[in-house]
Amino acid sequence: ARDITHSHFEAGDRVVVIKGVAGAELWGDAMRVVAPSWHTPTDEDGWRLRDATGGARTYVTGHPRYLVHLSRHCPDCLLHLGAMEKRFLPKYAGYNALIDCGWYTTTALGQLVHIADARGPR
């Protein structure tokens, strides 16, 4: 759970979506914030994100609470990242492989959604 507002991020910010654990570190997908966008799975303001490596989807829309700043020193993001490390790194201690924890999926509309925010068909 993270209470973060849409205004916390701005177009041009470099962010990471934490997806799992690699050894003794968290890992995720680095992206650039492009433009405001509606995040359909949560019915809230989101951000259009660009993955510079392309992959299956170059652009996705994500909710601000999924994002952690990479491009600037951000006390809120550092606290959030520290809390995630404290909670998840001990759980995977001793694993040397890259572990995708399965926290996110991408909808057919290119919406990045955390499993806690996913809705069934309407």
Side-chain angles (χ1 to χ4, degrees):
R2 183 181 188 202
D3 185 20
I4 195 84
T5 66
H6 181 259
S7 62
H8 185 82
F9 297 95
E10 299 177 0
D13 285 351
R14 288 186 55 234
V15 297
V16 65
V17 176
I18 304 296
K19 292 190 150 188
V21 177
E25 297 180 331
L26 296 175
W27 71 270
D29 293 336
M31 300 184 192
R32 184 166 304 277
V33 174
V34 178
S37 184
W38 189 251
H39 189 248
T40 305
T42 59
D43 287 332
E44 297 180 53
D45 287 332
W47 285 101
R48 195 71 172 154
L49 309 170
R50 180 178 183 274
D51 181 349
T53 63
R57 295 193 184 268
T58 301
Y59 291 94
V60 296
T61 299
H63 192 283
R65 73 175 158 262
Y66 306 162
L67 313 177
V68 174
H69 274 111
L70 281 176
S71 58
R72 63 183 170 98
H73 177 77
C74 174
D76 178 82
C77 287
L78 289 174
L79 284 171
H80 180 65
L81 189 60
M84 289 183 70
E85 288 174 338
K86 185 176 179 180
R87 180 169 181 187
F88 294 111
L89 292 182
K91 184 176 179 178
Y92 296 99
Y95 291 89
N96 288 325
L98 184 130
I99 301 167
D100 184 334
C101 292
W103 297 322
Y104 295 94
T105 189
T106 305
T107 69
L109 298 175
Q111 302 274 328
L112 182 69
V113 61
H114 189 278
I115 56 171
D117 293 330
R119 299 185 217 153
R122 294 183 194 191

